[in-house]
Amino acid sequence: MIHRLRDHRISIAKAAPVAAFCLFKTLGAMTALAWVLAAFDGQAAERQVPRTKAEVQLSFAPLVKKAAPAVVNIYALKVVQGRRSLPLFDDPFFRRFFGEDFGFRQPQKQQQNSLGSGVIVRPDGLIVTNKHVIEGADQINVVLADRREFAATTALTDDRTDLAILKVEAGKDSLPVMALRNSDNLEVGDLVLAIGNPFGVGQTVTSGIVSALARTRVTSSDLNFFIQTDAAINPGNSGGALVSLGGKLVGVNTVIFSKSGGSLGIGFAIPANMVRAVINGMTKNGQLVRPWFGAAGQPVKHDIATSLGLFRPSGVLINKVYKGAAAATAGVRVGDVILALDGHEVNDQQALRYRIATLSVGSTAPLQVWRRKKVLELNLSLAPPPETPPRNVTVLEGHQPLSGARVAN
């Protein structure tokens, strides 16, 4: 548009130099300037057919065609046992005089349906969604954008992140897959798309930007570290994809802030790096093993930062280190301040827990600590938490309601 405006300005100057000179002489400088600007505005406002690809309005359509097929609709069915009264005793007259529980009641099975979204992340049929979408479901069906439908089984659920991993068997059929992007590379202001099934109307795409990062006061989980976006997210979008302009998964849409049940432009997504860590930490028997840091701490406030010689209040002040834990093995001491882990700054305890949870058991990560007004570099080797006490698996026997059940610590 800038180039086009410049072209109009040059054409006007060449077409009427004599007229402009005469106007300056006869009508005055201000009147002549107004005439020239009016002519300029009139020509610039003319509608024209785009002459080059650069002048054609951009569209998200190619991106949607690439990403949308991997986003699925999830229908979870739960059968509950209810009781229904005979129609005669539903009359308000009887209920008024004999009470709400009056009348014969018949046992009846009722179906409760929940609706959500999911993302296919592996060609073998691995799907990620939210735990609350499929919680308590007796039957889970997955419907693809091309209307193919599969029965799904639950491979893993994780309370701390509200993530669930589903598995479908597609046989020889190929499944569309969405690759996971490194969500740590996101920046506030980046364009993103939200794809899901809001209110059950069908697959829907909305656009927005990354409004904020590392939101930690969204849910009661200790692993809060959400991506905030203003892309419209509504009920039914849970488990759907937050997609980058490269067509990769940057987050799983999870929760919204709303006073009316609809989108107010404040939605939150679980970062893709946490999704990747949950998938990689899943064992063959459906368990999730996370690394254990083995140290406890507190936030660094202004007075603590001043006493320790820190430039600003940031990090986690360690006040307890467990013997034999990864932190102790790395050389972390009581009084140290954790500044960064794996190259990422740690501002508080939530950030430290998130960074540890996104690492894999058996891996090693650089740990930066502040000790005696110096920065030290340590190597943290991640290990699983110990079984203390041991799980002590026991099979209950005898004449009791739980006979045959396996219990453990």
Side-chain angles (χ1 to χ4, degrees):
M1 181 61 74
I2 294 176
H3 296 294
R4 292 174 61 187
L5 290 177
R6 287 176 179 172
D7 291 343
H8 284 302
R9 184 176 298 176
I10 293 171
S11 63
I12 293 172
K14 290 181 179 179
V18 178
F21 176 79
C22 294
L23 284 170
F24 271 93
K25 284 291 186 180
T26 58
L27 301 178
M30 294 303 295
T31 305
L33 180 60
W35 180 85
V36 173
L37 289 177
F40 169 79
D41 288 341
Q43 293 189 37
E46 290 179 358
R47 297 179 181 271
Q48 296 185 9
V49 176
R51 294 165 295 181
T52 64
K53 290 184 178 180
E55 294 180 354
V56 179
Q57 184 177 4
L58 298 178
S59 172
F60 289 121
L63 169 59
V64 174
K65 289 180 181 178
K66 175 183 177 181
V71 181
V72 301
N73 298 336
I74 295 177
Y75 299 91
L77 174 65
K78 182 179 181 180
V79 179
V80 296
Q81 192 76 17
R83 299 187 66 86
R84 181 176 62 87
S85 63
L86 295 175
L88 173 65
F89 300 106
D90 286 337
D91 191 290
F93 175 82
F94 286 96
R95 291 204 304 258
R96 178 180 179 184
F97 287 99
F98 298 101
E100 294 291 334
D101 294 329
F102 178 75
F104 298 99
R105 293 181 177 268
Q106 299 175 339
Q108 184 185 32
K109 291 184 177 180
Q110 299 176 347
Q111 293 183 351
Q112 294 180 350
N113 296 297
S114 63
L115 177 68
S117 307
V119 188
I120 305 174
V121 293
R122 281 201 331 213
D124 61 351
L126 207 68
I127 299 173
V128 62
T129 184
N130 284 141
K131 178 179 179 291
H132 71 260
V133 170
I134 54 94
E135 193 165 19
D138 297 307
Q139 180 180 337
I140 304 172
N141 291 328
V142 171
V143 181
L144 276 63
D146 60 9
R147 298 187 179 183
R148 283 184 293 169
E149 185 171 347
F150 300 96
T153 57
T154 303
L156 173 73
T157 59
D158 181 34
D159 290 324
R160 294 177 67 186
T161 59
D162 191 27
L163 285 174
I165 307 299
L166 306 180
K167 188 72 167 61
V168 297
E169 298 295 338
K172 296 182 180 180
D173 294 343
S174 61
L175 295 174
V177 175
M178 187 180 300
L180 275 66
R181 176 183 153 175
N182 182 2
S183 53
D184 286 333
N185 293 336
L186 275 181
E187 294 185 5
V188 175
D190 284 350
L191 286 169
V192 287
L193 300 184
I195 308 177
N197 185 9
F199 298 110
V201 300
Q203 192 177 81
T204 302
V205 181
T206 56
S207 66
I209 64 170
V210 174
S211 304
L213 296 169
R215 290 300 197 201
T216 59
R217 298 181 181 180
V218 180
T219 68
S220 58
S221 171
D222 62 339
L223 289 181
N224 276 339
F225 213 72
F226 291 102
I227 301 167
Q228 182 180 331
T229 179
D230 66 346
I233 298 174
N234 288 289
N237 273 110
S238 292
L242 191 68
V243 185
S244 70
L245 292 188
K248 293 185 177 182
L249 184 72
V250 295
V252 172
N253 302 321
T254 298
V255 66
I256 61 173
F257 174 81
S258 176
K259 295 182 179 180
S260 60
S263 174
L264 294 179
I266 305 178
F268 302 95
I270 301 169
N273 284 5
M274 178 60 78
V275 177
R276 183 184 291 106
V278 170
I279 295 174
N280 293 338
M282 181 175 61
T283 62
K284 293 182 179 179
N285 59 355
Q287 301 296 320
L288 177 61
V289 179
R290 285 193 175 96
W292 184 55
F293 185 56
Q298 65 186 68
V300 176
K301 298 184 178 180
H302 180 74
D303 54 341
I304 297 177
T306 302
S307 65
L308 295 177
L310 286 168
F311 175 70
R312 61 185 178 89
S314 180
V316 178
L317 175 62
I318 300 299
N319 51 35
K320 186 174 183 179
V321 179
Y322 295 91
K323 184 178 180 181
T329 305
V332 176
R333 304 176 185 174
V334 173
D336 287 349
V337 177
I338 307 298
L339 299 178
L341 176 60
D342 198 27
H344 301 285
E345 185 178 1
V346 173
N347 291 319
D348 49 33
Q349 295 145 295
Q350 289 89 345
L352 178 59
R353 283 193 288 264
Y354 171 80
R355 292 300 170 191
I356 293 171
T358 55
L359 297 173
S360 301
V361 172
S363 63
T364 302
L367 183 68
Q368 190 179 82
V369 302
W370 179 261
R371 181 187 299 169
R372 296 179 180 177
K373 298 184 179 181
K374 293 182 179 180
V375 176
L376 301 179
E377 298 288 344
L378 306 176
N379 289 321
L380 181 68
S381 297
L382 283 307
E387 291 191 10
T388 306
R391 61 184 65 192
N392 188 25
V393 179
T394 304
V395 178
L396 300 182
E397 299 176 348
H399 298 287
Q400 56 170 310
L402 297 179
S403 179
R406 296 176 70 251
V407 297
N409 291 326

